[in-house]
Amino acid sequence: MNRTVPWFFLAFALLLAGCSAPKSVSVQLPEPDTWPASGWESSTPESQGMDSELLAQMIEQINSTGTRIHSLLVIRNGYVVTEAYFHPYTPDTKMHVQSVTKSVIGMLVGKAIGDGAIESEEAKLIDFYPNRIFENPGGKKNAIRLKHLLSMSSGLDCQEFSGGPSMEQTTGWVQFMLDLPMADKPGKSFGYCNGNAHLLSSILEKTTGMSAREYANRVLFRPLGIPPVDESDWGGDPQRTTTGGYGLHLRPADLAKLAYLYLHNGKWEGQQIVPAGWVADSTSEHIRKEDGSGYGYLWTVYPEAGHYAALGLGGRQVHVYPSKNLIVVVTASLESFAEAPEIEGMLNDFILPAIQAEAPLAENAAGVTRLEAATGMAANPVRPVPPLPATALDISGSTYSFRENPLGWQTLNMTFEPGAPAADVILNGAPLQVGLDHLYRLSTSLPGGEMLLRGHWEQDNLFILDYPYPLTGSTVLGELGESEFHFHFTGDRLDVVVQQMVFGGEGILFTGSK
């Protein structure tokens, strides 16, 4: 006999479904053939069921468009099938991984819970600071648990990305975060905030008896064969608490090892480094982000696509596809905060379509040769030097003087010779070389460090200088990351516009004259 189910039973069933535990995208994979503690093994794409032609097309496109990709690692079934480093970046270049640092902090919290240093993610924030007096106390703040910090749903009124005050402007980052008022109930809404991760770093320090950096070196990096990270590659706040939201510098192959650990549910060479349950919880959607993706414990999660990612500013990204046994590591300097359309295109148009089978494909010698040629061009993109415009010869050897400016420039002299592969530059008395053949030149005799530079004439009166990253702390070009310097020459006047490639914005403008 058919009976109508009362509406309140249907509503109750839907409520239960909505309250069910989130599903992790992690899967159980077979034991790998090899572990990469001492280095990754390589394979042809076809041996791992991937199409080398598509991967070659992707590298060729990056080369031809000049997209600011620094490195790309594609790893399937534990084997590197594509490894590209775009000049001047190399396998040994340590990159600031930006907010991928947060995912490492999340791993360390899971490790600390597994080791018994932290009871669980249900522990309350205020319990770790029992004698601390802070502003805006109350029920909502008392209800913040570690899981809320991990899922960026603490409810703290963090306004660092909307022009509000930031903890970095203070002398006490942890105190600043604890003092914040509450904007929402914990667990109710997603609110991205570097301070949430920094509080977790502080808690790791309190519970393990060492900084998060030292703890990572001992319990995470060492077992994976990742070289120890010193303070210069992962600094701290004014109290030397390791920065939780960013700041870590690692090589791309090291990032891939961390992803491989999670791909295998926290196990490495028979040892459970991070609890498997923590990996599953970390890669489950606990809250929905504004863009529709999910967020786990300091990982962005795409449940429908069966993949999760650590996303950093400017295109520092780690993507894990457990069901495809696939890892993709990208470092870049793109004008984006996290989700970079350039990298999304690489994944959706080339890398994922290249996966054509679980079993090996027939070898494609021509495709592999094409891929090798493309990665070789990425590493050594030398090009013929174009003819110099009339302005280059007119200003060559002239000295420009500057009034007070944010970079502290006083004088600049550029010398161009027809057909020469590099230009000579003297900035504030410091000699520099600028590659004109698309290759960077290393300048070493500088106050405080070294730097790489290349440039080209975009127009008859516009010269663009490309500065990829500081090497050893030189401040000749100011405290800048990856930047372009646009030199506009008009008569005796020189207008300089400095554009930071990752942060974008209006740039810095100042003027000099002969």
Side-chain angles (χ1 to χ4, degrees):
M1 181 174 61
N2 293 327
R3 293 182 179 177
T4 301
V5 179
W7 68 267
F8 49 85
F9 283 118
L10 287 173
F12 185 63
L14 290 172
L15 178 63
L16 288 178
C19 294
S20 61
K23 182 180 179 182
S24 172
V25 299
S26 297
V27 300
Q28 190 65 42
L29 293 172
E31 189 80 4
D33 297 335
T34 180
W35 291 93
S38 58
W40 289 94
E41 292 193 17
S42 298
S43 164
T44 64
E46 278 73 20
S47 294
Q48 307 307 322
M50 298 186 72
D51 180 3
S52 55
E53 296 276 0
L54 268 175
L55 297 172
Q57 289 176 32
M58 172 180 60
I59 305 298
E60 290 167 352
Q61 183 181 92
I62 297 170
N63 287 337
S64 64
T65 58
T67 305
R68 287 180 173 265
I69 304 296
H70 301 331
S71 68
L72 171 65
L73 278 174
V74 180
I75 299 169
R76 191 163 198 230
N77 303 326
Y79 292 90
V80 174
V81 298
T82 299
E83 184 173 17
Y85 299 93
F86 297 80
H87 176 77
Y89 301 89
T90 73
D92 294 323
T93 303
K94 290 182 180 179
M95 290 294 301
H96 179 197
V97 301
Q98 301 287 359
S99 288
V100 176
T101 305
K102 295 180 176 69
S103 300
V104 176
I105 289 289
M107 293 181 184
L108 295 176
V109 172
K111 176 64 174 172
I113 290 174
D115 290 346
I118 297 175
E119 184 176 353
S120 80
E121 68 270 31
E122 296 290 341
K124 290 186 176 181
L125 170 64
I126 61 170
D127 290 345
F128 294 96
Y129 303 93
N131 301 315
R132 185 78 68 103
I133 298 174
F134 48 83
E135 298 176 9
N136 302 296
K140 286 183 179 179
K141 187 172 288 188
N142 294 347
I144 299 174
R145 301 177 184 270
L146 296 193
K147 66 181 181 182
H148 300 131
L149 299 174
L150 290 158
S151 60
M152 292 289 173
S153 61
S154 66
L156 289 167
D157 190 15
C158 181
Q159 302 178 39
E160 60 188 26
F161 297 106
S162 59
S166 68
M167 64 182 183
E168 291 88 351
Q169 297 170 331
T170 72
T171 57
W173 295 12
V174 172
Q175 186 66 44
F176 172 84
M177 289 302 302
L178 292 173
D179 283 342
L180 285 177
M182 297 296 293
D184 211 339
K185 179 181 177 182
K188 184 178 179 181
S189 61
F190 180 84
Y192 195 81
C193 178
N194 285 319
N196 287 332
H198 195 67
L199 286 173
L200 290 169
S201 176
S202 169
I203 290 166
L204 283 167
E205 187 174 300
K206 285 177 169 290
T207 55
T208 66
M210 61 189 86
S211 70
R213 179 184 60 81
E214 293 168 329
Y215 188 55
N217 281 333
R218 180 176 297 186
V219 304
L220 185 60
F221 297 159
R222 182 190 297 169
L224 274 57
I226 297 174
V229 175
D230 60 29
E231 252 186 307
S232 66
D233 284 326
W234 196 3
D237 66 10
Q239 285 71 46
R240 299 183 69 181
T241 295
T242 302
T243 306
Y246 50 88
L248 175 62
H249 291 70
L250 287 175
R251 301 171 303 179
D254 297 329
L255 289 174
K257 287 181 179 181
L258 295 170
Y260 203 59
L261 174 71
Y262 256 49
L263 181 67
H264 290 280
N265 299 301
K267 184 176 285 189
W268 190 273
E269 293 184 328
Q271 181 183 359
Q272 196 70 46
I273 306 295
V274 177
W278 183 260
V279 175
D281 287 344
S282 299
T283 58
S284 301
E285 180 183 322
H286 293 282
I287 201 158
R288 186 59 60 101
K289 295 167 66 176
E290 298 94 332
D291 64 1
S293 59
Y295 203 72
Y297 288 161
L298 300 177
W299 289 87
T300 295
V301 184
Y302 306 89
E304 295 80 7
H307 116 260
Y308 55 91
L311 303 177
L313 180 72
R316 278 75 158 175
Q317 299 191 357
V318 178
H319 294 266
V320 183
Y321 297 81
S323 64
K324 301 181 187 298
N325 206 340
L326 177 72
I327 293 168
V328 179
V329 175
V330 184
T331 61
S333 292
L334 305 170
E335 293 184 42
S336 63
F337 279 89
E339 292 81 358
E342 299 92 337
I343 297 175
E344 185 179 351
M346 291 162 56
L347 292 167
N348 295 332
D349 298 340
F350 296 103
I351 297 174
L352 294 177
I355 299 175
Q356 299 188 354
E358 296 302 314
L361 302 171
E363 289 296 337
N364 181 353
V368 171
T369 299
R370 182 180 176 183
L371 178 58
E372 290 173 347
T375 56
M377 177 61 72
N380 185 31
V382 62
R383 298 175 186 172
V385 179
L388 293 173
T391 301
L393 300 176
D394 182 55
I395 63 98
S396 181
S398 299
T399 298
Y400 290 84
S401 300
F402 300 94
R403 295 179 180 178
E404 185 176 350
N405 58 81
L407 300 187
W409 287 17
Q410 299 168 8
T411 59
L412 174 71
N413 182 292
M414 293 183 173
T415 301
F416 295 91
E417 296 287 345
D424 293 315
V425 175
I426 300 175
L427 176 59
N428 291 355
L432 311 173
Q433 271 221 321
V434 179
L436 301 178
D437 54 1
H438 208 65
L439 297 183
Y440 291 88
R441 295 300 191 274
L442 176 66
S443 297
T444 58
S445 57
L446 300 173
E450 304 173 337
M451 65 176 58
L452 289 161
L453 296 169
R454 73 179 176 190
H456 68 278
W457 287 92
E458 185 79 10
Q459 301 168 11
D460 182 66
N461 65 338
L462 172 60
F463 183 71
I464 297 179
L465 182 69
D466 189 358
Y467 173 54
Y469 56 84
L471 293 180
T472 56
S474 174
T475 58
V476 176
L477 293 185
E479 298 292 338
L480 297 170
E482 294 91 336
S483 303
E484 281 188 352
F485 291 75
H486 292 219
F487 298 94
H488 298 262
F489 297 92
T490 308
D492 290 342
R493 177 186 172 115
L494 170 59
D495 293 317
V496 182
V497 178
V498 186
Q499 188 70 53
Q500 293 192 67
M501 301 314 300
V502 173
F503 294 98
E506 296 182 357
I508 304 168
L509 170 65
F510 55 96
T511 300
S513 59
K514 290 184 182 181

